[in-house]
Amino acid sequence: MDVTPTDLLPTSKIGAVKMLQAEDEWLIESLWLSNAAGIIGGQPKVCKSWLGLDMAISVASQTPCIGHFAVKNPGPSLVYLAEDSAYQVRGRVAGICKSRGIAIENLNLTLITSPVLRLDDEGDRDRLLRTVESIRPRLLLLDPLVRLHSLDENNSRDIAMLLGFLRCLQRTYECAV
């Protein structure tokens, strides 16, 4: 059997793999790792969405998250809030920016304005992948997970597919999700 380079997975000798520098480990110091894919979890109405949005603004503006956690690896943020209109998100961002003395016009934060984004839809996944590739955010905020799919969250296979896609985005584009 003939094997061509396109038949193989990409590989690297371990000694040639770049070491992560200590200063690059944290996106937001002691709060979120630079290349993490994770979930902000908690009971309803405990400000999870506000924390995520504050994180995105902090990364985009290099201002401390919730006034305390330093941003170590600033850059663009890409946000999709499924439960809020673009007007509501704009208002929230404007309020946070005003409290920090940031001009919203200069904020490197991009809002996905699509009325629907489904991570279990191949077309939507492809459009999200191309959007991330185009913007190259340091942080991708998708909120809330329950509104981003129509799968059974009690089925580990279904959720593993979604989380696998998010991990792929994180690894391919070196962004926190």
Side-chain angles (χ1 to χ4, degrees):
M1 175 167 98
D2 292 332
V3 177
T4 64
T6 58
D7 294 330
L8 302 174
L9 291 171
T11 62
S12 180
K13 294 287 186 182
I14 194 65
V17 174
K18 181 182 166 190
M19 294 280 295
L20 181 64
Q21 302 301 310
E23 61 271 11
D24 296 330
E25 182 178 10
W26 293 102
L27 178 66
I28 303 170
E29 190 172 16
S30 300
L31 187 62
W32 206 268
L33 293 170
S34 284
N35 288 313
I39 295 174
I40 299 171
Q43 295 296 318
K45 304 298 177 197
V46 295
C47 298
K48 298 179 300 289
S49 296
W50 279 94
L51 174 59
L53 194 55
D54 195 289
M55 289 169 60
I57 292 166
S58 296
V59 169
S61 65
Q62 197 172 6
T63 56
C65 184
I66 57 174
H68 179 75
F69 299 97
V71 173
K72 298 303 227 176
N73 199 358
S77 290
L78 178 60
V79 173
Y80 182 72
L81 300 180
E83 294 183 329
D84 302 308
S85 71
Y87 304 111
Q88 290 171 309
V89 177
R90 169 74 160 74
R92 288 179 180 184
V93 171
I96 294 171
C97 285
K98 183 177 179 182
S99 74
R100 294 186 189 179
I102 300 167
I104 194 169
E105 298 79 17
N106 299 330
L107 189 63
N108 198 355
L109 188 146
T110 302
L111 178 65
I112 297 171
T113 58
S114 175
V116 176
L117 174 62
R118 294 283 185 208
L119 298 178
D120 55 334
D121 178 87
E122 185 177 348
D124 280 0
R125 282 192 312 269
D126 186 55
R127 291 187 313 145
L128 179 59
L129 189 130
R130 286 180 292 163
T131 302
V132 168
E133 182 175 36
S134 172
I135 294 171
R136 302 297 270 207
R138 290 261 194 254
L139 177 65
L140 170 62
L141 173 65
L142 302 169
D143 180 59
L145 181 61
V146 70
R147 301 282 179 257
L148 297 170
H149 65 87
S150 57
L151 302 171
D152 177 4
E153 288 192 353
N154 293 315
N155 182 322
S156 62
R157 183 173 305 191
D158 286 350
I159 296 305
M161 184 274 300
L162 289 182
L163 297 179
F165 170 71
L166 295 175
R167 179 61 78 181
C168 177
L169 277 177
Q170 174 263 314
R171 287 182 175 166
T172 303
Y173 300 105
E174 297 180 347
C175 69
V177 180

